Amino acid sequence: PLDSGTAEAETLVNRLFDQILADTKLVENVRTLLVRLKPAVLSLARRDPALVRQSDHPAWQLLNRLSAHCAGYD
């Protein structure tokens, strides 16, 4: 069974990925890679409670860097 913190983390990650993947400007190749990345981030959220407490967590840094890098592409 999931504790409330783990369930909250999973909900947060699911919502974040849903919003990112819903972006019509997202390049299809990047969308495919993000779909593949989502299960790993969800797994991390289940095991590492710091994910939802730290805005500078390495998982967020990775997603922020990916987003920043891809923002300039049509």
Side-chain angles (χ1 to χ4, degrees):
L2 299 176
D3 65 27
S4 63
T6 302
E8 178 183 325
E10 283 193 48
T11 299
L12 175 66
V13 169
N14 275 313
R15 285 184 183 167
L16 174 66
F17 272 88
D18 288 348
Q19 288 180 350
I20 292 170
L21 296 170
D23 185 347
T24 58
K25 296 178 189 174
L26 188 62
V27 178
E28 195 57 39
N29 290 341
V30 175
R31 182 184 316 281
T32 301
L33 292 174
L34 288 172
V35 166
R36 291 177 60 194
L37 182 61
K38 182 179 177 180
V41 177
L42 278 169
S43 177
L44 180 61
R46 289 182 199 109
R47 293 181 285 126
D48 185 1
L51 181 73
V52 293
R53 292 193 313 262
Q54 296 176 336
S55 61
D56 64 341
H57 190 280
W60 299 137
Q61 290 179 12
L62 173 63
L63 289 171
N64 287 336
R65 286 182 181 158
L66 283 170
S67 299
H69 181 74
C70 296
Y73 293 100
D74 290 334

